Short mmCIF file of all heavy atoms in Angstrom, two decimals:
data_model
loop_
_atom_site.label_atom_id
_atom_site.label_comp_id
_atom_site.label_asym_id
_atom_site.label_seq_id
_atom_site.Cartn_x
_atom_site.Cartn_y
_atom_site.Cartn_z
N LEU A 184 -9.25 -3.02 -9.73
CA LEU A 184 -9.68 -2.22 -10.88
C LEU A 184 -8.62 -2.38 -11.97
O LEU A 184 -7.42 -2.35 -11.67
CB LEU A 184 -9.76 -0.74 -10.50
CG LEU A 184 -11.03 -0.24 -9.82
CD1 LEU A 184 -10.89 1.25 -9.49
CD2 LEU A 184 -12.25 -0.46 -10.70
N ALA A 188 -9.25 0.11 -17.88
CA ALA A 188 -10.66 0.44 -17.68
C ALA A 188 -10.81 1.80 -17.00
O ALA A 188 -11.72 2.57 -17.33
CB ALA A 188 -11.34 -0.65 -16.84
N VAL A 189 -9.91 2.12 -16.08
CA VAL A 189 -10.02 3.40 -15.37
C VAL A 189 -9.66 4.56 -16.31
O VAL A 189 -10.36 5.59 -16.34
CB VAL A 189 -9.14 3.40 -14.10
CG1 VAL A 189 -9.20 4.75 -13.39
CG2 VAL A 189 -9.58 2.29 -13.14
N ALA A 191 -10.05 4.50 -19.50
CA ALA A 191 -11.17 4.58 -20.46
C ALA A 191 -12.36 5.30 -19.82
O ALA A 191 -13.06 6.07 -20.49
CB ALA A 191 -11.56 3.18 -20.93
N GLU A 192 -12.59 5.05 -18.54
CA GLU A 192 -13.69 5.73 -17.84
C GLU A 192 -13.43 7.24 -17.76
O GLU A 192 -14.34 8.04 -17.93
CB GLU A 192 -13.87 5.12 -16.44
CG GLU A 192 -14.94 5.78 -15.56
CD GLU A 192 -16.37 5.60 -16.09
OE1 GLU A 192 -16.57 4.93 -17.11
OE2 GLU A 192 -17.29 6.17 -15.44
N LEU A 193 -12.17 7.62 -17.53
CA LEU A 193 -11.85 9.05 -17.52
C LEU A 193 -12.13 9.66 -18.90
O LEU A 193 -12.73 10.74 -18.99
CB LEU A 193 -10.39 9.28 -17.12
CG LEU A 193 -9.96 10.76 -17.14
CD1 LEU A 193 -10.73 11.57 -16.09
CD2 LEU A 193 -8.46 10.89 -16.89
N ARG A 195 -14.27 8.64 -21.09
CA ARG A 195 -15.73 8.72 -21.24
C ARG A 195 -16.28 9.92 -20.47
O ARG A 195 -17.07 10.70 -21.00
CB ARG A 195 -16.38 7.42 -20.73
CG ARG A 195 -17.87 7.30 -21.03
CD ARG A 195 -18.59 6.30 -20.16
NE ARG A 195 -18.60 6.62 -18.73
CZ ARG A 195 -19.35 7.56 -18.15
NH1 ARG A 195 -20.17 8.29 -18.87
NH2 ARG A 195 -19.28 7.78 -16.84
N MET A 196 -15.83 10.08 -19.21
CA MET A 196 -16.35 11.17 -18.38
C MET A 196 -15.99 12.53 -18.98
O MET A 196 -16.78 13.48 -18.93
CB MET A 196 -15.80 11.05 -16.95
CG MET A 196 -16.36 9.84 -16.20
SD MET A 196 -15.57 9.58 -14.61
CE MET A 196 -16.40 10.80 -13.60
N CYS A 199 -18.25 13.34 -22.06
CA CYS A 199 -19.63 13.80 -21.78
C CYS A 199 -19.66 14.87 -20.69
O CYS A 199 -20.70 15.11 -20.09
CB CYS A 199 -20.56 12.61 -21.52
SG CYS A 199 -20.10 11.60 -20.17
N GLU A 201 -18.45 15.11 -17.71
CA GLU A 201 -18.55 14.76 -16.27
C GLU A 201 -17.23 14.98 -15.54
O GLU A 201 -17.19 14.95 -14.31
CB GLU A 201 -18.95 13.28 -16.12
CG GLU A 201 -20.38 12.99 -16.49
CD GLU A 201 -20.67 11.49 -16.46
OE1 GLU A 201 -20.05 10.76 -15.67
OE2 GLU A 201 -21.52 11.05 -17.26
N ALA A 202 -16.14 15.13 -16.29
CA ALA A 202 -14.84 15.39 -15.67
C ALA A 202 -14.11 16.42 -16.52
O ALA A 202 -14.23 16.40 -17.75
CB ALA A 202 -14.02 14.10 -15.58
N LEU A 236 -7.33 10.57 -12.05
CA LEU A 236 -8.02 9.27 -12.18
C LEU A 236 -8.95 8.98 -11.01
O LEU A 236 -9.71 8.01 -11.05
CB LEU A 236 -6.99 8.13 -12.30
CG LEU A 236 -6.16 8.07 -13.57
CD1 LEU A 236 -5.18 6.91 -13.51
CD2 LEU A 236 -7.06 7.93 -14.81
N ASP A 237 -8.88 9.81 -9.97
CA ASP A 237 -9.66 9.57 -8.76
C ASP A 237 -11.16 9.46 -9.08
O ASP A 237 -11.83 8.49 -8.71
CB ASP A 237 -9.38 10.71 -7.76
CG ASP A 237 -9.90 10.43 -6.37
OD1 ASP A 237 -11.09 10.10 -6.25
OD2 ASP A 237 -9.13 10.57 -5.40
N ALA A 238 -11.68 10.46 -9.82
CA ALA A 238 -13.12 10.48 -10.13
C ALA A 238 -13.51 9.26 -10.96
O ALA A 238 -14.59 8.69 -10.78
CB ALA A 238 -13.48 11.77 -10.88
N ALA A 239 -12.62 8.84 -11.88
CA ALA A 239 -12.93 7.69 -12.75
C ALA A 239 -12.96 6.40 -11.92
O ALA A 239 -13.85 5.56 -12.10
CB ALA A 239 -11.90 7.60 -13.86
N ALA A 240 -12.01 6.26 -11.01
CA ALA A 240 -11.99 5.06 -10.16
C ALA A 240 -13.24 5.01 -9.29
O ALA A 240 -13.88 3.96 -9.14
CB ALA A 240 -10.72 5.04 -9.30
N CYS A 241 -13.64 6.18 -8.73
CA CYS A 241 -14.83 6.22 -7.87
C CYS A 241 -16.10 6.00 -8.68
O CYS A 241 -17.08 5.45 -8.17
CB CYS A 241 -14.92 7.55 -7.13
SG CYS A 241 -13.63 7.74 -5.89
N SER A 242 -16.08 6.42 -9.94
CA SER A 242 -17.26 6.19 -10.79
C SER A 242 -17.45 4.68 -11.01
O SER A 242 -18.57 4.19 -11.00
CB SER A 242 -17.06 6.94 -12.11
OG SER A 242 -17.94 6.47 -13.09
N LEU A 243 -16.34 3.95 -11.18
CA LEU A 243 -16.44 2.50 -11.38
C LEU A 243 -16.70 1.76 -10.08
O LEU A 243 -17.28 0.67 -10.08
CB LEU A 243 -15.14 1.97 -12.02
CG LEU A 243 -14.84 2.45 -13.44
CD1 LEU A 243 -13.48 1.94 -13.91
CD2 LEU A 243 -15.93 2.00 -14.42
N LEU A 244 -16.25 2.34 -8.98
CA LEU A 244 -16.36 1.66 -7.68
C LEU A 244 -16.78 2.69 -6.62
O LEU A 244 -15.95 3.21 -5.87
CB LEU A 244 -14.98 1.07 -7.34
CG LEU A 244 -14.88 -0.23 -6.56
CD1 LEU A 244 -15.71 -1.33 -7.20
CD2 LEU A 244 -13.43 -0.67 -6.46
N PRO A 245 -18.10 3.01 -6.56
CA PRO A 245 -18.55 4.11 -5.70
C PRO A 245 -18.23 3.89 -4.21
O PRO A 245 -18.16 4.87 -3.45
CB PRO A 245 -20.06 4.14 -5.93
CG PRO A 245 -20.25 3.51 -7.28
CD PRO A 245 -19.18 2.47 -7.41
N ALA A 246 -17.99 2.66 -3.80
CA ALA A 246 -17.66 2.42 -2.38
C ALA A 246 -16.38 3.16 -1.98
O ALA A 246 -16.17 3.45 -0.79
CB ALA A 246 -17.49 0.92 -2.13
N LEU A 247 -15.53 3.50 -2.95
CA LEU A 247 -14.28 4.21 -2.61
C LEU A 247 -14.58 5.57 -2.01
O LEU A 247 -13.86 6.04 -1.12
CB LEU A 247 -13.40 4.36 -3.87
CG LEU A 247 -12.99 3.07 -4.57
CD1 LEU A 247 -12.13 3.39 -5.79
CD2 LEU A 247 -12.24 2.16 -3.61
N GLU A 248 -15.64 6.21 -2.49
CA GLU A 248 -16.02 7.53 -1.97
C GLU A 248 -16.44 7.42 -0.51
O GLU A 248 -16.11 8.28 0.32
CB GLU A 248 -17.15 8.08 -2.85
CG GLU A 248 -17.40 9.55 -2.73
CD GLU A 248 -16.16 10.40 -2.99
OE1 GLU A 248 -15.64 10.37 -4.11
OE2 GLU A 248 -15.73 11.09 -2.05
N ARG A 251 -13.39 7.07 1.58
CA ARG A 251 -12.73 8.36 1.72
C ARG A 251 -13.39 9.19 2.82
O ARG A 251 -12.72 9.76 3.67
CB ARG A 251 -12.79 9.13 0.39
CG ARG A 251 -11.99 10.43 0.46
CD ARG A 251 -12.33 11.47 -0.62
NE ARG A 251 -12.81 11.01 -1.87
CZ ARG A 251 -12.07 10.83 -2.98
NH1 ARG A 251 -10.79 11.08 -2.94
NH2 ARG A 251 -12.62 10.43 -4.10
N VAL A 264 -7.47 8.38 -4.06
CA VAL A 264 -7.21 7.09 -4.69
C VAL A 264 -5.79 7.12 -5.23
O VAL A 264 -5.36 8.12 -5.80
CB VAL A 264 -8.23 6.86 -5.82
CG1 VAL A 264 -7.88 5.64 -6.65
CG2 VAL A 264 -9.64 6.74 -5.25
#
Side-chain angles (χ1 to χ4, degrees):
L184 276 178
V189 178
E192 177 66 3
L193 178 64
R195 189 199 64 74
M196 291 173 79
C199 59
E201 288 174 31
L236 291 179
D237 192 308
C241 291
S242 163
L243 294 176
L244 213 53
L247 301 180
E248 197 55 63
R251 185 198 331 262
V264 171

